[in-house]
């Protein structure tokens, strides 16, 4: 939690980040009173990535034999400070399932592409000429060769391989399941912005329902979010990818997963193990500026007109 801790000299915690070790009672009191003034806090992301329960379980339990079939596609826009965390976590925890990692840079000017090339030479870097979630993901897929596509944003990272195993196991067990995702939501009746509940707002993150307990996912959702989204390549090609009208962002993942449902597939929400998220870091378009409100209004109107003939897909959260 990035909280400074003062502790006795216990061997087990000597290398923990943000922990000050006291030599004796007097030193303990001194650190409590003044330790934070001269101490620079460390990020705990890597520590958590290496030591959470899912990561420790991965070291004990062998991985499922599902093959290296996944092209992981990561969007980046001026995220040089966090993209490394995302890529390190994918390499560390998902190597048994990833065929390739593709980073799509959406017109960054902060040195992010150069950093990825230097620090992660094994990662395939693709440059987009604009900042667009739809165009960026489509561009990434055009360079992908995996049987499955896994979409992540640079503000995400994983702490274990469990999420990959869960998603791939579900997709391989049911040919009618067109996508599995970690984020999901519903629409609200009579709401011009179409905004409804999302799983983050529900108890147990929306997992406390009979279907989820019986099948391992719930299908009574309206749409899936694109961060932590697993899709068979054949399904992506069937629906034609993401609609690039929505660039730079807003409604593109909602539209994409509705297209999957309209094509006759089921979409499944599962609270995939080990996915973490630092919200609103990837596009830079999430602030409530006039430009963002204009963009949201434009895309909302387009989305409403596009799907007006399929009101059956614009479902509200079940009561």
């Amino acid at each position: 939690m990035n909280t400074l801790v003062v502790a006795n000299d216990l061997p087990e915690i000597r290398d923990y980040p943000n922990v000050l070790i006291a030599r004796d009672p007097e030193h303990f009191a001194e650190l409590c009173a003044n330790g934070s003034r001269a101490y620079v806090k460390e990020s705990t992301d890597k520590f958590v990535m290496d030591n959470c329960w899912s990561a420790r379980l991965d070291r004990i339990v062998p991985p499922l034999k599902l093959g290296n079939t996944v092209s992981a596609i990561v969007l980046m826009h001026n995220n040089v400070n966090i993209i490394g965390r995302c890529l390190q976590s994918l390499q560390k925890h998902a190597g048994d399932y990833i065929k390739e990692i593709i980073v799509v840079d959406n017109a960054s000017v902060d040195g992010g592409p150069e950093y990825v090339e230097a620090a992660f030479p094994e990662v395939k870097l693709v440059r987009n000429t604009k900042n667009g979630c739809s165009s960026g993901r489509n561009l990434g897929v055009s360079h992908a060769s995996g049987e499955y596509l896994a979409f992540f944003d640079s503000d995400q990272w994983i702490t274990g391989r469990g999420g990959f195993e869960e998603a791939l196991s579900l997709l391989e067990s049911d040919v009618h399941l067109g996508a599995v995702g970690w984020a999901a939501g519903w629409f609200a009746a009579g709401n011009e912005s179409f905004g409804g509940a999302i799983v983050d707002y529900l108890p147990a993150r929306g997992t406390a329902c009979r279907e989820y307990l019986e099948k391992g996912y719930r299908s009574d959702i309206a749409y899936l979010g694109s961060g932590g989204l697993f899709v068979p390549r054949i399904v992506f090609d069937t629906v034609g990818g993401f609609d690039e009208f929505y660039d730079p962002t807003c409604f593109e993942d909602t539209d994409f997963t509705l297209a999957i449902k309209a094509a006759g597939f089921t979409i499944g929400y599962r609270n995939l193990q080990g996915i973490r998220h630092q919200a609103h870091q990837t596009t830079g378009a999430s602030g409530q500026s006039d430009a963002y409100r204009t963009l949201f209004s434009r895309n909302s109107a387009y989305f409403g007109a596009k799907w007006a003939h399929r009101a059956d897909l614009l479902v509200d959260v079940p009561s």
Side-chain angles (χ1 to χ4, degrees), residues 148-167:
Y148 294 98
L149 307 169
F151 296 99
F152 293 94
D153 293 330
S154 55
D155 55 11
Q156 293 183 294
W157 68 106
I158 63 172
T159 58
R161 67 170 181 261
F164 273 75
E165 292 183 343
E166 292 165 357

Side-chain angles (χ1 to χ4, degrees), residues 295-306:
L295 173 66
F296 187 94
S297 178
R298 184 201 73 159
N299 286 4
S300 174
Y302 175 77
F303 176 84
K306 181 175 179 178

Side-chain angles (χ1 to χ4, degrees), residues 125-176:
L125 177 72
V126 181
R127 285 177 166 86
N128 193 6
T129 57
K130 58 183 177 179
N131 178 22
C133 287
S134 289
S135 60
R137 293 190 180 101
N138 289 341
L139 181 60
V141 173
S142 72
H143 290 265
S145 59
E147 180 182 355
Y148 294 98
L149 307 169
F151 296 99
F152 293 94
D153 293 330
S154 55
D155 55 11
Q156 293 183 294
W157 68 106
I158 63 172
T159 58
R161 67 170 181 261
F164 273 75
E165 292 183 343
E166 292 165 357
L168 292 176
S169 295
L170 288 172
L171 289 169
E172 293 197 352
S173 67
D174 186 353
V175 296
H176 301 292

Side-chain angles (χ1 to χ4, degrees), residues 33-153:
N34 303 305
S36 62
R37 297 179 184 176
Y39 189 73
V40 178
K41 291 186 179 182
E42 302 175 53
S43 170
T44 60
D45 291 339
K46 186 178 185 304
F47 180 81
V48 171
M49 195 187 304
D50 292 342
N51 294 284
C52 67
W53 287 117
S54 58
R56 294 186 178 208
L57 184 64
D58 286 352
R59 294 196 285 269
I60 300 172
V61 180
L64 297 179
K65 296 186 182 300
L66 298 170
N68 297 93
T69 60
V70 179
S71 294
I73 298 168
V74 183
L75 288 191
M76 176 178 71
H77 173 66
N78 291 335
N79 300 124
V80 66
N81 293 327
I82 58 176
I83 185 63
R85 174 183 61 186
C86 176
L87 299 180
Q88 287 171 5
S89 74
L90 288 171
Q91 291 176 332
K92 179 178 180 63
H93 294 299
D96 291 302
Y97 311 114
I98 287 179
K99 183 176 184 179
E100 60 198 350
I101 300 175
I102 301 169
V103 172
V104 180
D105 180 70
N106 278 340
S108 295
V109 293
D110 65 344
E114 293 74 19
Y115 166 74
V116 170
E117 287 179 322
F120 300 93
E122 65 283 3
V123 169
K124 186 182 298 185
L125 177 72
V126 181
R127 285 177 166 86
N128 193 6
T129 57
K130 58 183 177 179
N131 178 22
C133 287
S134 289
S135 60
R137 293 190 180 101
N138 289 341
L139 181 60
V141 173
S142 72
H143 290 265
S145 59
E147 180 182 355
Y148 294 98
L149 307 169
F151 296 99
F152 293 94
D153 293 330

Side-chain angles (χ1 to χ4, degrees), residues 3 20 24 39 41 45 55 64 71 81 109 126 178 194 202 206 229 232 234 241 254 269 273-274 284 288:
T3 300
L20 299 180
D24 50 49
Y39 189 73
K41 291 186 179 182
D45 291 339
L64 297 179
S71 294
N81 293 327
V109 293
V126 181
F194 299 96
L202 303 183
L229 177 65
I234 192 171
T254 310
Y269 158 67
Q273 181 188 144
Q288 291 303 312

